[in-house]
Amino acid sequence: MSLDRPVTPDPYPLLPATASFAVTSDDVTDGQPLKADQVYDGGNTSPQLTWERGPEGTQSYVVTCFDPDAPIPSGFWHWVVVDIPADVTSLDTGAGTSDASLPEGAFHVRNDFGTLDFAGAAPPQGDQVHRYFFVVHAVQEPKLGVDGSATPAVVGFNLAFKTLGRAIITGTYAH
């Protein structure tokens, strides 16, 4: 079976427009390959992220990592952290290890590996370069309104109505 296919479009311009703000990382350089630490069979460690405060009215944040280039129609969710308090503007390297390593009140939603943590890049061997969109979503409510049993799709649906702004940094990876 061949995995040859067109490159999936960047999904974020296809969503309702929001304000943008900046996110930086000591571990991810925008548009460049991820470090071994962010690869599933490498260190499998969530990257450090620092972001500007979201737009006026931001009451919490959601952080996600999404791979639209997975060879499935829905893409692949590697990380979903919900209800990060508005006064938090960074996550340390490794914060995605468990809920205990997140800021108080924040929690993980199950990723597409089925675990409640960060799951590093794991594209199929020999596949095209995959993009990993690390996105900080500024949310207009203190709580998104989901619990730990929600799927990434339900989180995304809620974000469609509650996002004030997005900050995006993208890493890449291929075997």
Side-chain angles (χ1 to χ4, degrees):
M1 178 177 130
S2 171
L3 291 176
D4 288 341
R5 62 198 181 282
V7 173
T8 304
D10 174 344
Y12 293 96
L14 304 174
L15 297 175
T18 65
S20 63
F21 56 104
V23 59
T24 59
S25 176
D26 294 338
D27 300 318
V28 177
T29 302
D30 195 44
Q32 298 301 309
L34 295 172
K35 296 180 184 178
D37 288 354
Q38 281 77 56
V39 175
Y40 191 79
D41 59 5
N44 201 35
T45 303
S46 62
Q48 183 278 337
L49 299 172
T50 299
W51 55 91
E52 295 176 339
R53 293 210 179 275
E56 186 173 337
T58 299
Q59 294 188 48
S60 65
Y61 298 98
V62 169
V63 170
T64 60
C65 177
F66 179 67
D67 170 9
D69 302 311
I72 55 175
S74 61
F76 200 91
W77 292 96
H78 288 263
W79 197 23
V80 182
V81 180
V82 178
D83 293 351
I84 299 170
D87 62 348
V88 174
T89 57
S90 67
L91 292 175
D92 292 336
T93 301
T97 303
S98 70
D99 286 355
S101 53
L102 295 173
E104 187 173 337
F107 62 93
H108 285 97
V109 168
R110 199 167 305 282
N111 59 45
D112 283 341
F113 281 102
T115 59
L116 294 167
D117 57 6
F118 172 79
Q125 195 78 300
D127 199 13
Q128 66 190 22
V129 173
H130 285 224
R131 294 163 295 161
Y132 298 87
F133 288 83
F134 291 90
V135 182
V136 180
H137 309 261
V139 179
Q140 66 188 9
E141 297 179 10
K143 304 287 183 190
L144 187 63
V146 302
D147 63 24
S149 69
T151 63
V154 169
V155 170
F157 182 80
N158 278 271
L159 286 171
F161 301 98
K162 299 175 182 179
T163 297
L164 296 172
R166 282 184 208 95
I168 302 172
I169 189 168
T170 306
T172 64
Y173 187 73
H175 283 287

